[in-house]
């Protein structure tokens, strides 16, 4: 059981939770995630760590309400307890001196990009962050990302804030004028695929964070399998970060769509009960 100490709607259907989790906070490393069950009857879902505070013993996560379990999680308030919280999970990002790094965060990829940009900057890298969302109201955590970066480029698809267009267009323009040593991209699958396609011919190392469906998150069930470099990997223990140039994105898209009917049914059944 883990107590919620802060709850804030960052945008419509996007919620930040701060949770008491002393052990996770003291062991967390950049790029890791947790798995949680809001209630005893809930499914387990993976959510990235956005931030953590070792002194206060708290972690922060940001999630979008998309289906049954995230809807259940959104019903919990400050003072309520999350039924189970497991972590930190996944391989951390290796914090090294790469040189000039671009951190690209799209939508719900922005919260985890925060601790990555911060960690890389503290390690002495020059960090340029590019964050984007469909529209201004969905562009979250701008000030935090700005603080964690040497330079920040903001984009909205509809041009309601920052540069008009996709983050990939801003990245393309940057790559055409600046020598970049590493790109890290977190966001929707098409965005990460587009980033990898952009950097591949330029030979720029690119790390993406994959979000397949997960069940046990311990490497036992195989549900989170992804194809990377022609090999089967389990994102929960081998990832979730992988070389973007090696990822089979078509396979990931296919697997993410496999349970659409069941997911819609689960949400409808939950809505009918409350
Ligand atoms: C390592 C990892 C880190 C993640 N970090 C975050 C995060 O920080 N914030 C956040 O909001 N979400 C994150 N996700 C996605 C999150 O786990 C799913 O949104 C959640 O499991 C949906 O559960 P649900 O029961 O509410 O919806 P479901 O009923 O399971 O699904 C509802 C809709 O969301 C889609 N969906 C389900 N799972 C995923 C997924 N893994 N990726 C993309 N779409 C999905 C479904 O196809 C469906 O359209 C992460 C996933 C992984 C694997
Ligand atoms: S979620 Fe079961 S092996 Fe990764």
């Amino acid at each position: 059981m883990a107590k919620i100490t802060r709850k804030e709607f960052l945008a419509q259907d996007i919620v930040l939770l701060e949770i008491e989790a002393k052990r996770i906070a003291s062991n967390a490393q950049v790029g890791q995630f947790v798995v949680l069950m809001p209630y005893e009857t809930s499914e387990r879902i993976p959510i990235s760590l956005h931030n953590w505070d070792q002194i206060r013993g708290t972690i922060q996560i940001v999630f979008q309400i998309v289906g049954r379990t995230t809807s259940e999680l959104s019903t919990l308030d400050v003072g309520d307890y999350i039924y189970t919280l497991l972590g930190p999970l996944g391989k951390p990002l290796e914090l090294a001196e790469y040189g000039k790094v671009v951190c690209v965060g799209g939508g719900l990829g922005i919260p985890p990009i925060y601790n990555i940009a911060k960690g890389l900057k503290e390690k002495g890298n020059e960090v340029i962050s590019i964050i984007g969302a469909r529209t201004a109201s969905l562009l979250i955590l701008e000030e935090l990302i700005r603080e964690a970066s040497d330079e920040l480029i903001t984009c909205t698809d509809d041009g309601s804030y920052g540069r008009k267009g996709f983050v990939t267009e801003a990245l393309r323009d940057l790559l055409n004028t600046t020598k970049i040593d590493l790109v890290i991209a977190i966001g929707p699958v098409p965005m990460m695929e587009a980033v990898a396609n952009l950097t591949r011919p330029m030979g720029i190392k690119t790390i993406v964070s994959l979000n397949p469906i997960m069940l046990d998150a311990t490497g036992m069930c195989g549900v989170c399998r992804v194809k990377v470099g022609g090999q089967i990997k389990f994102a929960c223990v081998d990832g979730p970060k992988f070389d973007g140039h090696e990822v089979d994105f078509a396979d990931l898209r296919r697997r993410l769509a496999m349970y659409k009917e069941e997911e819609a049914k689960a949400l409808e059944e939950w809505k009918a009960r409350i």
Side-chain angles (χ1 to χ4, degrees), residues 247-261:
V247 171
D248 184 338
F249 285 102
D251 182 68
L252 176 62
R253 273 199 302 276
R254 188 182 57 76
R255 289 188 62 78
L256 275 171
M258 266 166 66
Y259 300 103
K260 280 246 183 288
E261 259 179 48

Side-chain angles (χ1 to χ4, degrees), residues 45-48 62-64 67-70 108 211-212 260 263:
I45 55 163
I47 300 287
S48 308
V62 176
F63 67 96
Q64 183 164 27
R68 176 182 154 177
T69 316
T70 45
L108 266 291
N211 58 345
K260 280 246 183 288
E263 287 159 353

Side-chain angles (χ1 to χ4, degrees), residues 42-273:
S42 302
E43 286 181 3
R44 294 153 66 94
I45 55 163
I47 300 287
S48 308
L49 283 167
H50 158 53
N51 201 1
W52 55 89
D53 185 330
Q54 289 190 349
I55 294 163
R56 294 181 59 226
T58 55
I59 62 163
Q60 291 185 355
I61 57 170
V62 176
F63 67 96
Q64 183 164 27
I65 305 168
V66 289
R68 176 182 154 177
T69 316
T70 45
S71 298
E72 288 175 338
L73 185 59
S74 73
T75 63
L76 296 174
D77 278 316
V78 172
D80 290 340
Y81 286 81
I82 292 173
Y83 182 66
T84 63
L85 179 68
L86 180 70
L89 297 168
K91 284 197 175 146
L93 179 82
E94 193 192 337
L95 287 180
E97 286 179 50
Y98 298 99
K100 217 172 234 194
V101 182
V102 183
C103 292
V104 188
L108 266 291
I110 299 173
I113 272 293
Y114 167 67
N115 68 72
I116 290 175
K118 186 166 168 262
L120 287 168
K121 188 163 187 258
E122 283 169 3
K123 195 75 191 169
N125 294 282
E126 185 179 338
V127 176
I128 304 171
S129 294
I130 304 176
I131 58 170
R134 265 188 291 122
T135 191
S137 60
L138 298 175
L139 195 73
I140 56 174
L141 303 169
E142 181 188 354
E143 281 320 307
L144 264 192
I145 305 282
R146 193 186 302 282
E147 279 168 30
S149 318
D150 293 287
E151 189 186 333
L152 174 68
I153 302 167
T154 54
C155 313
T156 49
D157 298 357
D158 63 3
S160 52
Y161 187 78
R163 192 189 148 125
K164 185 177 191 305
F166 296 143
V167 287
T168 39
E169 291 158 15
L171 177 64
R172 187 196 54 216
D173 290 353
L174 183 67
L175 296 180
N176 283 336
T177 56
T178 315
K179 187 189 167 298
I180 298 297
D181 301 291
L182 174 71
V183 173
I184 299 174
I186 310 183
V189 175
M191 182 210 100
M192 293 191 286
E193 184 173 16
V195 168
N197 287 341
L198 196 60
T199 55
R200 188 181 291 107
M202 298 176 172
I204 302 169
K205 185 178 163 72
T206 297
I207 297 171
V208 295
S209 187
L210 301 187
N211 58 345
I213 294 168
M214 290 188 179
L215 210 57
D216 65 345
T218 61
M220 304 289 281
C221 72
V223 163
C224 68
R225 64 182 175 273
V226 288
K227 280 191 199 152
V228 183
Q231 292 186 316
I232 298 292
K233 300 276 181 191
F234 291 165
C236 65
V237 287
D238 299 323
K241 290 174 184 48
F242 293 101
D243 180 341
H245 298 158
E246 299 281 327
V247 171
D248 184 338
F249 285 102
D251 182 68
L252 176 62
R253 273 199 302 276
R254 188 182 57 76
R255 289 188 62 78
L256 275 171
M258 266 166 66
Y259 300 103
K260 280 246 183 288
E261 259 179 48
E262 289 83 350
E263 287 159 353
K265 199 166 157 237
L267 182 61
E268 286 316 310
E269 284 172 1
W270 179 76
K271 279 183 180 162
R273 277 211 314 274

